[in-house]
Amino acid sequence: MGWLAVLVVALATPALAIVGARRWRPLDAVGPVVVCYAVGVIVGNLGLVPTDSPAADTASLIRTATVVLAIPLLLLGTDLRAWARLARPALISFGLAIVSVVAVTVVLAPRFDLGATTDEIAGMTVGVYTGGTANMAAIGTALDVPEATFVALNAADLFVGALYLLVLLSVAQRLLARVLPAPVRVGANEDPEVTRTSDPFAVTPAGRHVVVALAMGLGVVLVVAGTALVALTPVVTGEPVMDSDAFATAMVLGITTLALALSFVRRVREQPGTYVTGQYLFLVFAVAIGTLANLADLAASFTTVVPYIAAVLTLAVLLHVLLARLLRIDHDTAIITSTAAVFGPPFVGPVAAALRNPDVVPSGMTTGVLGLALGNYVGLAVAALLR
């Protein structure tokens, strides 16, 4: 497979996965992200993308480019002022969820045989359980994590996360009702259609909006790259600045910060298509990184990474519930903010529907975006702490 074929597969597979999920229930149950990873892994392990080939170089370039472009697009539409309008219990509960995963990760990561990448895996774990896969990808890029490590961690998260999602959709409300207070129903959102807003691809943006969104994201990336290059050139020695860990970290944190700053500009924040385009780029990323994954390496790491992820998620959730009980957070708020932290905004709607409480959707969606904004900072801080 040549480099052009890799590019076409990476760009086209997400569109086919989205359309397929809308028309075929099994694909909808699995989700476009899993489909894109699976296609990439299959292509890569059929020997179609040999190591050190132009095709592999193209997949690696797509992996990096989609992450750095997607981060600003996902954040430019953030309404930071809306955070102040969130219900106080939702903010507190989301903060408790972040504290829980950080504390559990810092304690557990050094106790598992994760190899030399313990600090990197810990940082990505905090990122994914603060805001979702986007954070894990960005942190992995900043730390120059090998493709096999990222895919192993993401596969473990998908497996363990699926079990936790099943709990959230079935028995979580009944179980937590025994230990946490009942929510106060205010009827703020009676429209059942609101739960569908968690599907980022529910509305297809116009082509011109996609072009403008990509131009905005590219502008953010270029400004941050230029600034980082100028600032780090006198500091980094012994290697090209752009190949250094300092440059990669500065890029992720700089892009996150500049995108959040630009979100205060109303015209930027209200530009259509930015969030959807960013989500699509992450599906492209999933295909690209899947082609670089080796199933033999993945199977070898599964015996260590899955137990680690299972332990972190289980104990973090239990600690979150304990802290929520101490601060008398109601059970629906605890559930929806845990959903926002672990899975991000796309799963808020289905879980709110399972709770039969549409009032929690705004809190869940907004804290999910808040987690996306915070995850890169917190994850990289934990990685630095454990290094």
Side-chain angles (χ1 to χ4, degrees):
M1 179 180 284
W3 67 268
L4 184 58
V6 170
L7 181 62
V8 170
V9 169
L11 292 175
T13 300
L16 297 175
I18 293 167
V19 172
R22 291 174 178 172
R23 298 184 177 181
W24 194 32
R25 188 176 295 275
L27 281 185
D28 184 42
V30 171
V33 175
V34 177
V35 172
C36 289
Y37 272 119
V39 169
V41 170
I42 291 170
V43 169
N45 284 271
L46 286 177
L48 300 177
V49 186
T51 305
D52 297 327
S53 67
D57 293 340
T58 299
S60 183
L61 178 61
I62 293 172
R63 168 204 175 191
T64 302
T66 48
V67 170
V68 297
L69 263 179
I71 290 297
L73 294 178
L74 293 173
L75 294 175
L76 286 173
T78 303
D79 188 355
L80 295 177
R81 295 182 181 89
W83 296 356
R85 298 195 295 270
L86 271 179
R88 184 169 174 267
L91 283 175
I92 294 174
S93 181
F94 189 72
L96 297 178
I98 295 176
V99 169
S100 298
V101 73
V102 169
V104 169
T105 301
V106 169
V107 171
L108 287 186
R111 287 164 172 74
F112 278 78
D113 184 18
L114 301 175
T117 59
T118 296
D119 59 313
E120 298 168 351
I121 290 178
M124 289 192 294
T125 302
V126 170
V128 74
Y129 292 143
T130 299
T133 305
N135 294 113
M136 180 168 64
I139 293 168
T141 299
L143 299 177
D144 196 21
V145 173
E147 289 84 1
T149 301
F150 177 88
V151 174
L153 184 62
N154 191 248
D157 169 53
L158 288 172
F159 175 72
V160 176
L163 298 178
Y164 181 47
L165 182 62
L166 181 62
V167 172
L168 289 173
L169 294 173
S170 56
V171 300
Q173 189 178 43
R174 291 197 297 274
L175 290 176
L176 294 190
R178 301 179 179 181
V179 295
L180 297 179
V184 176
R185 301 296 182 98
V186 296
N189 195 341
E190 300 292 349
D191 184 0
E193 294 293 316
V194 74
T195 58
R196 298 185 183 180
T197 61
S198 59
D199 178 7
F201 304 107
V203 178
T204 303
R208 67 181 185 278
H209 293 153
V210 173
V211 171
V212 172
L214 289 173
M216 291 168 61
L218 183 60
V220 171
V221 171
L222 292 177
V223 169
V224 173
T227 304
L229 191 61
V230 171
L232 294 175
T233 296
V235 179
V236 176
T237 58
E239 62 178 335
V241 175
M242 296 184 69
D243 293 337
S244 66
D245 292 342
F247 182 81
T249 302
M251 282 293 293
V252 171
L253 294 181
I255 289 170
T256 302
T257 303
L258 180 56
L260 288 173
L262 289 174
S263 72
F264 282 99
V265 181
R266 183 174 180 180
R267 290 186 63 182
V268 171
R269 186 173 64 249
E270 296 180 354
Q271 170 62 37
T274 54
Y275 187 78
V276 177
T277 305
Q279 288 286 354
Y280 193 91
L281 286 175
F282 266 109
L283 294 182
V284 176
F285 164 85
V287 178
I289 200 168
T291 64
L292 299 170
N294 184 293
L295 283 179
D297 295 337
L298 177 61
S301 62
F302 227 62
T303 55
T304 55
V305 177
V306 168
Y308 161 74
I309 286 294
V312 168
L313 184 56
T314 301
L315 293 179
V317 169
L318 291 176
L319 180 57
H320 181 205
V321 172
L322 175 61
L323 295 175
R325 178 178 173 82
L326 292 175
L327 295 180
R328 298 195 57 77
I329 304 295
D330 69 85
H331 53 72
D332 281 7
T333 297
I335 290 171
I336 209 65
T337 51
S338 180
T339 301
V342 174
F343 299 106
F347 290 88
V348 167
V351 172
L355 298 175
R356 298 181 180 179
N357 184 2
D359 290 342
V360 299
V361 171
S363 294
M365 295 293 286
T366 311
T367 52
V369 176
L370 174 59
L372 179 65
L374 295 177
N376 294 336
Y377 299 108
V378 181
L380 287 171
V382 168
L385 175 65
L386 295 179
R387 187 169 302 149

